[in-house]
Amino acid sequence: MFEKWPTPFGLVRFGVAPDHPEVKAVTSDFHKVAENIKFYGNTEVGRDVSLDALRDAYDGVVIACGASVERKLRIPGENLEGVFHARKFVGWYNGEPLQNVEMPQNPDVVIIGHGNVALDCARVLKTDLSNTDASRSAVPKLGTANRVSVVGRRGATQAAFTIKELREIAPITGLDRSEFGDTEASLRELEISKPKKRKRELLESLQGSEIRLRFLLKPVEFRGKGRVESVLFEKCELEGEPGRQIAVGAGTFEEIPANLVLCAIGYLSNVPGFGIVPRLDHVGGRVVGHPRLYCAGWCKRGPSGIVGTNVADAKETVASILEDLEGGGNDTTPAKFIQLPASSTTWDDWLRIDRHERDLGSEIGAPRVKLVDISDMLRVARHT
Ligand SMILES: Cc1cc2nc3c(=O)[nH]c(=O)nc-3n(C[C@H](O)[C@H](O)[C@H](O)COP(=O)(O)OP(=O)(O)OC[C@H]3O[C@@H](n4cnc5c(N)ncnc54)[C@H](O)[C@@H]3O)c2cc1C
Ligand SMILES: NC(=O)c1ccc[n+]([C@@H]2O[C@H](COP(=O)([O-])OP(=O)(O)OC[C@H]3O[C@@H](n4cnc5c(N)ncnc54)[C@H](OP(=O)(O)O)[C@@H]3O)[C@@H](O)[C@H]2O)c1
């Protein structure tokens, strides 16, 4: 396994929210897997070792690089200070190297998107995370937000967030039923989907004053001089068949003040050898047109699904590999053929970083204090 960071676990370390330790606990399963594989950390495919070199050395190569590129809205003002993609914000509070977000004092926040990433961001903006593994530079800032509005372009029935995550942001406020987008098609969608009906019942039962959920508003411009001051939205109506309704601008507008904006509108994949793509073209995990090259996870399916979704996905890919290898692979030691940088880390290096982070955490009552600087990680890793 070749991993660009010195540490393993991808979005389980750098995406899953710090107040979801039960999800992060899946790393203990990964520790068991690691006993049977070789781990080369701090080794980016495409930078430190080429995909072609890997394909020459191994019988099969699986690309499982996730989706770490920010999707853009491509509207005016997107480059204003204070406008971030959720990827950067999430990476920052989770201690991903090289991510930094300057947060204003008690910010007024607009979050664009109605997926679970948007709700994660809203929740951590209103939650004290000092007893978690959140980055120590983020902890004093999190939980301090003033107003938080989570704004989606479609209606309540079409919102991508799930029931558990919706419950976690309660109490919410300012629900306006006229904004739910209850077209005949939406009512039909509710009627035929039990989870959507349950989600609606929950939504209607939530009361309070913390987080505002807004619907039927699509962003058209970020406004401000240097720093963002507001977001201009066009009000929308829903059009289309049940399950395929789209938000269509209605020609009226609303401006919501904000000095911090998080765009939680999805991701693209940066795949070595393929560039930036929504996902890889594959059949059963076999990358089309590239024999013995496979894919799994978000770069295979696109940026959707929880950790568990990747299990069935990986099984399909592994079945394809086993089928293709029926004649048997060769048993050469690949490392013989691959020139690795001196700064590559091993699994034992990770175990030293892990122990060090846990020790730091135990001093302050947190599960761990993450090292954020790669040079610090390498120092701890090499201190045998
Ligand atoms: C903010 C957020 C919160 C989430 N919360 C939850 C949750 O609470 N519960 C849940 O079940 N699911 C959650 N998910 C979904 C879950 O994280 C994903 O389903 C899962 O991580 C996808 O796995 P993956 O292996 O495809 O990608 P990733 O987890 O992103 O792993 C890809 C790995 O490839 C590495 N990599 C990328 N490019 C290269 C390269 N060129 N060379 C070497 N290495 C490379 C990356 O560093 C990374 O370690 C969340 C997702 C996000 C974005
Ligand atoms: N706790 C958890 O289990 C957890 C936490 C975080 C993430 N995840 C999972 O990770 C995956 C990714 O989550 P996500 O939130 O990034 O993606 P998502 O669920 O696909 O949500 C993306 C949101 O962005 C909106 N959007 C996209 N393009 C837009 C545009 N141009 N303008 C305005 N809005 C736009 C979408 O609206 P439309 O629907 O109108 O396109 C949707 O509301 C999901 O499967 C999620 O469940 C799980």
Side-chain angles (χ1 to χ4, degrees), residues 296-312:
W298 276 21
C299 66
K300 173 183 176 186
R301 295 192 312 277
S304 79
I306 59 171
V307 171
T309 320
N310 301 299
V311 176

Side-chain angles (χ1 to χ4, degrees), residues 12 24 65 79 98 135 209 220 230 233 258 282 292-293 311 369:
V12 173
K24 290 187 185 266
C65 63
N79 294 327
L98 314 177
S135 151
S209 61
V220 290
S230 66
F233 290 94
H282 74 95
R292 300 183 298 105
L293 188 63
V311 176
V369 171

Side-chain angles (χ1 to χ4, degrees), residues 73 114-117 120 153-154 160 165 264-265 267 298 303-305:
L73 280 165
H114 269 173
N116 283 331
V117 172
D120 268 1
R153 61 182 168 181
R154 297 198 289 159
E165 285 63 36
I265 58 159
Y267 305 78
W298 276 21
S304 79

